[in-house]
PDB file of all heavy atoms in Angstrom:
ATOM      1  N   ALA A 255      15.132  13.386   8.822  1.00 96.00           N
ATOM      2  CA  ALA A 255      15.701  14.723   9.094  1.00 96.00           C
ATOM      3  C   ALA A 255      15.322  15.670   7.986  1.00 96.00           C
ATOM      4  O   ALA A 255      16.175  16.568   7.588  1.00 96.00           O
ATOM      5  CB  ALA A 255      17.179  14.705   9.233  1.00 96.00           C
ATOM      6  N   LYS A 256      14.050  15.564   7.484  1.00 96.00           N
ATOM      7  CA  LYS A 256      13.521  16.456   6.458  1.00 96.00           C
ATOM      8  C   LYS A 256      12.103  16.669   6.886  1.00 96.00           C
ATOM      9  O   LYS A 256      11.382  15.988   7.698  1.00 96.00           O
ATOM     10  CB  LYS A 256      13.576  15.884   5.038  1.00 96.00           C
ATOM     11  CG  LYS A 256      15.043  15.606   4.460  1.00 96.00           C
ATOM     12  CD  LYS A 256      15.608  16.831   3.945  1.00 96.00           C
ATOM     13  CE  LYS A 256      17.012  16.655   3.457  1.00 96.00           C
ATOM     14  NZ  LYS A 256      17.100  15.780   2.382  1.00 96.00           N
ATOM     15  N   PRO A 257      11.417  17.682   6.340  1.00 97.00           N
ATOM     16  CA  PRO A 257       9.983  17.829   6.516  1.00 97.00           C
ATOM     17  C   PRO A 257       9.197  16.508   6.144  1.00 97.00           C
ATOM     18  O   PRO A 257       9.507  16.007   5.006  1.00 97.00           O
ATOM     19  CB  PRO A 257       9.528  19.158   5.687  1.00 97.00           C
ATOM     20  CG  PRO A 257      10.766  19.747   5.511  1.00 97.00           C
ATOM     21  CD  PRO A 257      11.858  18.768   5.382  1.00 97.00           C
ATOM     22  N   VAL A 258       8.264  16.057   6.938  1.00 98.00           N
ATOM     23  CA  VAL A 258       7.444  14.962   6.570  1.00 98.00           C
ATOM     24  C   VAL A 258       6.017  15.321   6.823  1.00 98.00           C
ATOM     25  O   VAL A 258       5.618  15.831   7.943  1.00 98.00           O
ATOM     26  CB  VAL A 258       7.637  13.626   7.516  1.00 98.00           C
ATOM     27  CG1 VAL A 258       6.801  12.547   6.927  1.00 98.00           C
ATOM     28  CG2 VAL A 258       9.177  13.275   7.372  1.00 98.00           C
ATOM     29  N   TRP A 259       5.144  15.316   5.766  1.00 98.00           N
ATOM     30  CA  TRP A 259       3.809  15.751   5.767  1.00 98.00           C
ATOM     31  C   TRP A 259       3.006  14.424   5.886  1.00 98.00           C
ATOM     32  O   TRP A 259       2.921  13.636   4.914  1.00 98.00           O
ATOM     33  CB  TRP A 259       3.342  16.608   4.612  1.00 98.00           C
ATOM     34  CG  TRP A 259       4.143  17.816   4.615  1.00 98.00           C
ATOM     35  CD1 TRP A 259       3.951  19.016   5.392  1.00 98.00           C
ATOM     36  CD2 TRP A 259       5.268  18.185   3.770  1.00 98.00           C
ATOM     37  NE1 TRP A 259       4.898  19.975   5.007  1.00 98.00           N
ATOM     38  CE2 TRP A 259       5.715  19.492   3.955  1.00 98.00           C
ATOM     39  CE3 TRP A 259       6.025  17.468   2.758  1.00 98.00           C
ATOM     40  CZ2 TRP A 259       6.762  20.197   3.378  1.00 98.00           C
ATOM     41  CZ3 TRP A 259       7.016  18.082   2.153  1.00 98.00           C
ATOM     42  CH2 TRP A 259       7.439  19.380   2.447  1.00 98.00           C
ATOM     43  N   SER A 260       2.193  14.153   6.917  1.00 98.00           N
ATOM     44  CA  SER A 260       1.297  13.069   6.961  1.00 98.00           C
ATOM     45  C   SER A 260      -0.121  13.532   6.403  1.00 98.00           C
ATOM     46  O   SER A 260      -0.813  14.184   7.068  1.00 98.00           O
ATOM     47  CB  SER A 260       1.187  12.584   8.455  1.00 98.00           C
ATOM     48  OG  SER A 260       0.808  13.603   9.236  1.00 98.00           O
ATOM     49  N   ILE A 261      -0.290  12.923   5.187  1.00 97.00           N
ATOM     50  CA  ILE A 261      -1.583  13.464   4.477  1.00 97.00           C
ATOM     51  C   ILE A 261      -2.617  12.385   4.225  1.00 97.00           C
ATOM     52  O   ILE A 261      -3.530  12.537   3.488  1.00 97.00           O
ATOM     53  CB  ILE A 261      -1.105  14.093   3.177  1.00 97.00           C
ATOM     54  CG1 ILE A 261      -0.025  13.223   2.396  1.00 97.00           C
ATOM     55  CG2 ILE A 261      -0.486  15.447   3.300  1.00 97.00           C
ATOM     56  CD1 ILE A 261      -0.512  12.056   1.772  1.00 97.00           C
ATOM     57  N   GLY A 262      -2.538  11.204   5.017  1.00 95.00           N
ATOM     58  CA  GLY A 262      -3.446  10.175   4.827  1.00 95.00           C
ATOM     59  C   GLY A 262      -4.532  10.192   5.897  1.00 95.00           C
ATOM     60  O   GLY A 262      -4.581  11.051   6.677  1.00 95.00           O
ATOM     61  N   PRO A 263      -5.284   9.184   5.910  1.00 96.00           N
ATOM     62  CA  PRO A 263      -5.388   8.069   4.980  1.00 96.00           C
ATOM     63  C   PRO A 263      -5.878   8.409   3.587  1.00 96.00           C
ATOM     64  O   PRO A 263      -6.927   9.031   3.454  1.00 96.00           O
ATOM     65  CB  PRO A 263      -6.233   6.984   5.653  1.00 96.00           C
ATOM     66  CG  PRO A 263      -7.362   7.772   6.425  1.00 96.00           C
ATOM     67  CD  PRO A 263      -6.538   8.997   6.804  1.00 96.00           C
ATOM     68  N   LEU A 264      -5.230   7.939   2.553  1.00 95.00           N
ATOM     69  CA  LEU A 264      -5.650   8.192   1.191  1.00 95.00           C
ATOM     70  C   LEU A 264      -6.409   6.983   0.827  1.00 95.00           C
ATOM     71  O   LEU A 264      -6.053   5.994   0.219  1.00 95.00           O
ATOM     72  CB  LEU A 264      -4.318   8.276   0.261  1.00 95.00           C
ATOM     73  CG  LEU A 264      -3.508   9.452   0.486  1.00 95.00           C
ATOM     74  CD1 LEU A 264      -2.198   9.349  -0.285  1.00 95.00           C
ATOM     75  CD2 LEU A 264      -4.200  10.755   0.154  1.00 95.00           C
ATOM     76  N   LEU A 265      -7.788   7.088   1.030  1.00 90.00           N
ATOM     77  CA  LEU A 265      -8.688   6.064   0.738  1.00 90.00           C
ATOM     78  C   LEU A 265      -9.765   6.723  -0.102  1.00 90.00           C
ATOM     79  O   LEU A 265      -9.986   7.909  -0.161  1.00 90.00           O
ATOM     80  CB  LEU A 265      -9.313   5.533   1.947  1.00 90.00           C
ATOM     81  CG  LEU A 265      -8.376   4.801   3.068  1.00 90.00           C
ATOM     82  CD1 LEU A 265      -9.080   4.440   4.305  1.00 90.00           C
ATOM     83  CD2 LEU A 265      -8.075   3.441   2.302  1.00 90.00           C
ATOM     84  N   PRO A 266     -10.647   5.858  -0.721  1.00 85.00           N
ATOM     85  CA  PRO A 266     -11.748   6.432  -1.537  1.00 85.00           C
ATOM     86  C   PRO A 266     -12.654   7.279  -0.554  1.00 85.00           C
ATOM     87  O   PRO A 266     -12.946   6.864   0.503  1.00 85.00           O
ATOM     88  CB  PRO A 266     -12.575   5.112  -1.892  1.00 85.00           C
ATOM     89  CG  PRO A 266     -11.503   4.139  -1.994  1.00 85.00           C
ATOM     90  CD  PRO A 266     -10.554   4.387  -0.894  1.00 85.00           C
ATOM     91  N   PRO A 267     -13.106   8.383  -0.980  1.00 81.00           N
ATOM     92  CA  PRO A 267     -13.851   9.319  -0.101  1.00 81.00           C
ATOM     93  C   PRO A 267     -15.015   8.668   0.601  1.00 81.00           C
ATOM     94  O   PRO A 267     -15.298   8.883   1.729  1.00 81.00           O
ATOM     95  CB  PRO A 267     -14.266  10.411  -0.983  1.00 81.00           C
ATOM     96  CG  PRO A 267     -13.247  10.493  -2.194  1.00 81.00           C
ATOM     97  CD  PRO A 267     -12.766   8.967  -2.331  1.00 81.00           C
ATOM     98  N   ALA A 268     -15.703   7.776  -0.170  1.00 78.00           N
ATOM     99  CA  ALA A 268     -16.931   7.035   0.325  1.00 78.00           C
ATOM    100  C   ALA A 268     -16.459   6.171   1.535  1.00 78.00           C
ATOM    101  O   ALA A 268     -17.329   6.023   2.556  1.00 78.00           O
ATOM    102  CB  ALA A 268     -17.646   6.193  -0.727  1.00 78.00           C
ATOM    103  N   MET A 269     -15.255   5.737   1.744  1.00 85.00           N
ATOM    104  CA  MET A 269     -14.941   4.847   2.756  1.00 85.00           C
ATOM    105  C   MET A 269     -14.772   5.666   4.096  1.00 85.00           C
ATOM    106  O   MET A 269     -14.828   5.265   5.170  1.00 85.00           O
ATOM    107  CB  MET A 269     -13.518   4.123   2.497  1.00 85.00           C
ATOM    108  CG  MET A 269     -13.649   3.034   1.728  1.00 85.00           C
ATOM    109  SD  MET A 269     -12.351   1.817   1.885  1.00 85.00           S
ATOM    110  CE  MET A 269     -12.927   0.889   3.311  1.00 85.00           C
ATOM    111  N   LEU A 270     -14.597   7.011   3.912  1.00 82.00           N
ATOM    112  CA  LEU A 270     -14.354   7.852   4.989  1.00 82.00           C
ATOM    113  C   LEU A 270     -15.708   8.676   5.311  1.00 82.00           C
ATOM    114  O   LEU A 270     -15.596   9.614   6.111  1.00 82.00           O
ATOM    115  CB  LEU A 270     -13.218   8.821   4.806  1.00 82.00           C
ATOM    116  CG  LEU A 270     -11.905   7.970   4.514  1.00 82.00           C
ATOM    117  CD1 LEU A 270     -10.832   8.972   3.961  1.00 82.00           C
ATOM    118  CD2 LEU A 270     -11.403   7.436   5.811  1.00 82.00           C
ATOM    119  N   ASN A 271     -16.731   8.278   4.662  1.00 77.00           N
ATOM    120  CA  ASN A 271     -18.000   8.881   4.922  1.00 77.00           C
ATOM    121  C   ASN A 271     -19.007   7.949   5.356  1.00 77.00           C
ATOM    122  O   ASN A 271     -19.491   7.074   4.557  1.00 77.00           O
ATOM    123  CB  ASN A 271     -18.480   9.569   3.590  1.00 77.00           C
ATOM    124  CG  ASN A 271     -19.814  10.343   3.714  1.00 77.00           C
ATOM    125  OD1 ASN A 271     -20.412  10.259   4.813  1.00 77.00           O
ATOM    126  ND2 ASN A 271     -20.318  10.985   2.613  1.00 77.00           N
TER     127      ASN A 271
END
Side-chain angles (χ1 to χ4, degrees):
K256 298 279 177 67
V258 181
W259 298 282
S260 53
I261 41 76
L264 294 171
L265 294 172
M269 281 206 85
L270 300 165
N271 180 359

